[in-house]
């Protein structure tokens, strides 16, 4: 320890630290510590000039350790590791101490206390760096293929981009038809493109790619392996339709089974043998195995093209990375929510489907529609008093509702629309939609969340009563032909997939990224990325941008053929281990197994699967498990340094 040569660099952070911490006092307190060869304060340690000075110090002074006391390591850990490497110092013999977020900002009202705490933090960092050992990243070779889960617009765009980069793509969609929610849309805002056409164009591009393998009616059933080399099992449900020749229309007509049509949001029925029609892709028929009674009538009509004896197929494949773009579901209101379930009350997706299938005259339930009332925030920003409430804002709903209203009034002349909202957020460029609707005669009324609108059935029409805050809280009664509940997004029902991938779920029920800003599509499972609406409500543009971020991350791994993982993983001291199995039970990543070494049963760590979480350490009764970079000796020495400084205050 006495032979270590450590450089300590304390940052002013342009006043963010030095305004609340006496950095010169911190420097004076640590420069006489054992092993400290260089001690400096800098205005911005991350600046190019400071980095150049640090490289020179390491080379000229022969430093074998470095402590930087500055901001969060989430911001500049990589920066200073690169400094160490450029100077020939092992990058893992550098320690960053956070004296901004954890000190100056937290104690801006107590300069003396903040300074003493900073001294303790830096001394703790010194103790840790003295006990560091040179470590090397764990290099994992990757197979040049990617698994994309979900063939909505986000998944298809990700597949196309990965294909263009020369990566083999397995695109898996659990439905028999691609496109997800966008394929069900008509005219989209603000582009004016038809949703079904957008999905069809992406599909047409995909089938031209020889390195994209599209599997419909397919779901992941198991996963083994690790980043760079996942071994995945895919179960493919039979389509039962094996050809394109046959009188499928007659078979559809003869089919005795009817179920709600997904394309039409359940407003009309479809048969067990079906094809959504329009721009649906693939241009093949399918039989819904969950609805079909296997009566055989369709097979009698199309004997050469329908095989009801088809069995589920299992496909094994290897992938270097996995992109999860499994989309979302639309919120389904309860029966007593704003009159839903009674005639004349529909959800926004249902209203969009009605508009898609209407001409210049809008009808619903056998009567003409002239007045439409939209009620916003249904299924979003719900009260805490509601069980399993969705407290998040779905963001896209305001834009979607105003856009749908504009489409409707453009198609049906003289249609009147009322918009009842708590708060309205047509963010960014979509503010133009709000202005266009308002200028076109749409009426916007704001209600208090404690006094939501009341929908009453008056026979031929509906009566919506609301206290409008924009007119001083006066009650307004609106006679309507149709009430549209502007429903938000809820997570897809993917419990089995979530369990297989071990993906974390946030409070909102969507998949959780590591960090919203710094690592927005990465998960705690290395090599598994989340994009599109699988991680939260987005519009189609945002979904695609998110999926392309996944592509960037996955491509960085797959194109170069390897990935370097952090070496801060657990290891086992075999002479202490007596294999009790407690560490194996505690490991959330299945990285620990039993193995016989020199005739003795001990625990072994899979270096690639281990995430360095440390869950195995406290449960070991023999102190046989340790964590590289955070050994017991390092942690104890840091605690002693903190305690020593605290006791001297």
């Amino acid at each position: 320890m006495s032979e270590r040569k450590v450089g300590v660099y304390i940052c002013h952070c342009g006043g963010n630290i030095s305004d609340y911490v006496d950095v010169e006092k911190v420097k004076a307190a640590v420069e006489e510590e054992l092993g400290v060869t260089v001690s400096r304060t800098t205005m911005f340690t991350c600046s190019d000039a400071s980095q150049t000075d640090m490289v020179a110090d390491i080379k000229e002074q022969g430093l074998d350790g470095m402590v930087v006391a500055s901001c969060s390591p989430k911001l500049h850990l990589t920066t200073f590791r690169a400094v160490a490497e450029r100077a020939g110092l092992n990058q893992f013999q550098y320690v960053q101490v956070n004296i901004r977020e954890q000190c100056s900002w937290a104690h801006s009202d107590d300069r003396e206390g903040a300074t003493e705490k900073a001294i303790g933090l830096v001394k703790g960092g010194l103790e840790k760096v003295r006990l560091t050992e040179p470590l090397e990243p764990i290099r994992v070779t990757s197979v040049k293929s990617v698994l994309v889960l979900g063939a909505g617009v986000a998944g298809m765009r990700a597949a196309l981009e990965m294909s263009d980069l020369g990566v083999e793509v397995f695109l898996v969609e659990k439905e028999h038809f691609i496109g997800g929610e966008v394929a069900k849309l008509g005219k989209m805002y603000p582009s004016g493109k038809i949703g079904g056409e957008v999905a069809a164009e992406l599909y047409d591009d995909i089938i031209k790619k020889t390195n994209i393998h599209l599997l419909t009616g397919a779901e992941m059933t198991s996963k083994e392996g690790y980043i760079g080399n996942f071994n995945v099992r895919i179960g493919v449900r039979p389509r039962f339709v094996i050809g394109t020749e046959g009188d499928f229309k007659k078979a559809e007509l003869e089919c005795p089974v009817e179920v709600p049509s997904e394309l039409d949001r359940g407003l009309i029925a479809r048969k067990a043998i079906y094809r959504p029609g329009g721009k649906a892709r693939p241009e093949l028929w399918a039989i819904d195995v969950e609805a079909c009674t296997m009566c055989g009538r369709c097979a009698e009509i199309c004997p050469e093209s329908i095989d009801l004896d088809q069995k589920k197929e299992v496909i094994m494949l290897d992938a270097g990375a996995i992109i999860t773009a499994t989309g979302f579901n639309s919120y389904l209101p309860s029966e007593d929510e704003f009159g839903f379930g009674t005639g004349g009350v529909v959800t926004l997706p249902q209203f969009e489907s009605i508009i898609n299938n209407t001409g210049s005259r809008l009808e619903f339930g056998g009567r003409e529609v002239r007045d439409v009332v939209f009620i916003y925030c249904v299924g979003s920003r719900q009260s805490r008093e509601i069980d399993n409430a969705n407290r998040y804002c779905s963001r896209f709903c305001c834009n979607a509702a105003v856009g749908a209203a504009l489409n409707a009034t453009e198609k049906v002349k003289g249609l009147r629309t009322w918009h009842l909202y708590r708060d309205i957020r047509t963010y960014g460029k979509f503010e133009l939609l709000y202005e266009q609707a308002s200028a076109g005669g749409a009426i916007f009324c704001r209600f208090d969340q404690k006094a939501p609108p009341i929908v009453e059935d008056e026979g031929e029409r509906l009566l919506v009563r609301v206290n409008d805050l924009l007119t001083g809280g006066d009650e307004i009664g609106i006679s309507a032909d149709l009430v549209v509940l502007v429903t938000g997004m809820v997570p897809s029902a993917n419990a089995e997939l979530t369990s297989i991938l071990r993906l974390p779920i946030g409070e909102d029920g969507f998949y959780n990224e590591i960090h919203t800003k710094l690592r927005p599509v990465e998960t705690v499972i290395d090599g598994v990325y989340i994009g599109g609406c699988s991680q939260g409500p987005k519009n189609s543009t945002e979904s695609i941008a998110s999926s392309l971020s996944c592509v960037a991350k996955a491509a960085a791994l797959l194109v170069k053929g390897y990935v370097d993982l952090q070496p801060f993983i657990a290891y086992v001291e075999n002479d202490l281990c007596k294999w009790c199995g407690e560490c194996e039970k505690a490991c959330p990543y299945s990285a620990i197994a039993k193995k016989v070494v020199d005739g003795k049963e001990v625990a072994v760590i899979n270096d690639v699967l281990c995430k360095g979480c440390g869950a195995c350490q406290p449960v070991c009764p023999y102190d046989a498990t340790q964590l590289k970079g955070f050994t017991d000796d390092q942690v104890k020495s840091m605690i002693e340094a903190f305690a020593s400084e605290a006791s001297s205050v």
Side-chain angles (χ1 to χ4, degrees), residues 208-266:
K208 295 174 185 176
K209 301 285 187 178
T210 58
N211 60 346
I212 298 181
H213 312 282
L214 174 62
L215 302 173
T216 58
E219 294 182 83
M220 177 189 288
T221 58
S222 70
K223 174 189 72 70
E224 296 178 348
Y226 42 80
I227 181 174
N229 191 13
F230 291 111
N231 311 120
V232 178
R233 186 188 299 266
I234 304 294
V236 183
R237 299 192 311 278
R239 197 180 195 98
F240 297 119
V241 178
I242 58 176
T244 58
E245 301 297 327
D247 193 350
F248 296 111
K249 282 290 185 182
K250 182 178 180 182
E252 181 185 37
L253 184 65
E254 292 290 326
C255 178
V257 178
E258 288 190 347
V259 295
S261 169
E262 300 89 344
L263 181 67
D264 298 291
R265 311 291 186 173

Side-chain angles (χ1 to χ4, degrees), residues 124-376:
L126 271 171
E127 290 298 326
K128 182 181 179 183
V129 82
R130 285 183 187 135
L131 296 174
T132 57
E133 296 179 355
L135 300 174
E136 294 299 329
I138 301 167
R139 177 157 292 185
V140 179
T141 302
S142 62
V143 296
K144 201 173 182 179
S145 63
V146 63
L147 172 63
V148 180
L149 299 172
V153 292
M156 287 192 286
R157 282 291 285 125
L160 287 168
E161 293 300 323
M162 293 300 296
S163 170
D164 289 343
L165 292 170
V167 176
E168 188 175 20
V169 182
F170 298 95
L171 179 58
V172 173
E173 170 55 49
K174 69 178 180 180
E175 303 297 336
H176 286 302
F177 300 93
I178 58 85
E181 292 296 315
V182 169
K184 303 172 186 177
L185 297 177
K187 185 177 179 181
M188 299 194 299
Y189 63 90
S191 66
K193 293 184 177 180
I194 304 301
E197 294 178 355
V198 171
E201 289 172 6
L202 289 171
Y203 171 83
D204 292 341
D205 289 339
I206 281 172
I207 61 175
K208 295 174 185 176
K209 301 285 187 178
T210 58
N211 60 346
I212 298 181
H213 312 282
L214 174 62
L215 302 173
T216 58
E219 294 182 83
M220 177 189 288
T221 58
S222 70
K223 174 189 72 70
E224 296 178 348
Y226 42 80
I227 181 174
N229 191 13
F230 291 111
N231 311 120
V232 178
R233 186 188 299 266
I234 304 294
V236 183
R237 299 192 311 278
R239 197 180 195 98
F240 297 119
V241 178
I242 58 176
T244 58
E245 301 297 327
D247 193 350
F248 296 111
K249 282 290 185 182
K250 182 178 180 182
E252 181 185 37
L253 184 65
E254 292 290 326
C255 178
V257 178
E258 288 190 347
V259 295
S261 169
E262 300 89 344
L263 181 67
D264 298 291
R265 311 291 186 173
L267 292 172
I268 62 175
R270 65 163 173 82
K271 298 297 184 73
I273 179 171
Y274 71 108
R275 181 178 176 275
K279 298 294 183 179
R281 298 289 189 275
E283 294 181 286
L284 300 171
W285 288 73
I287 293 176
D288 184 346
V289 66
E290 294 182 0
C292 182
T293 61
M294 295 295 172
C295 68
R297 294 185 192 178
C298 57
E300 293 173 2
I301 297 170
C302 306
E304 301 299 322
S305 299
I306 294 179
D307 179 9
L308 295 179
D309 293 325
Q310 273 191 323
K311 303 298 182 184
K312 185 174 182 178
E313 184 182 1
V314 176
I315 297 175
M316 301 292 295
L317 56 90
D318 296 326
I322 299 173
I323 296 176
T324 305
T326 50
F328 69 97
N329 290 332
S330 292
Y331 175 79
L332 184 66
S334 59
E335 289 188 5
D336 59 347
E337 200 167 357
F338 299 109
F340 186 70
T342 61
V345 181
V346 298
T347 64
L348 179 61
Q350 289 176 327
F351 179 72
E352 291 174 326
S353 179
I354 294 169
I355 294 300
N356 295 343
N357 298 315
T358 195
S360 59
R361 176 184 170 91
L362 178 59
E363 292 186 357
F364 183 77
R367 63 176 184 264
E368 185 179 10
V369 175
R370 302 297 298 170
D371 293 282
V372 181
V373 174
F374 293 84
I375 300 178
Y376 287 61

Side-chain angles (χ1 to χ4, degrees), residues 10-24:
I10 305 161
C11 187
H12 287 240
C13 198
N16 279 290
I17 294 173
S18 57
D19 284 354
Y20 313 107
V21 172
D22 187 341
V23 293
E24 293 300 330

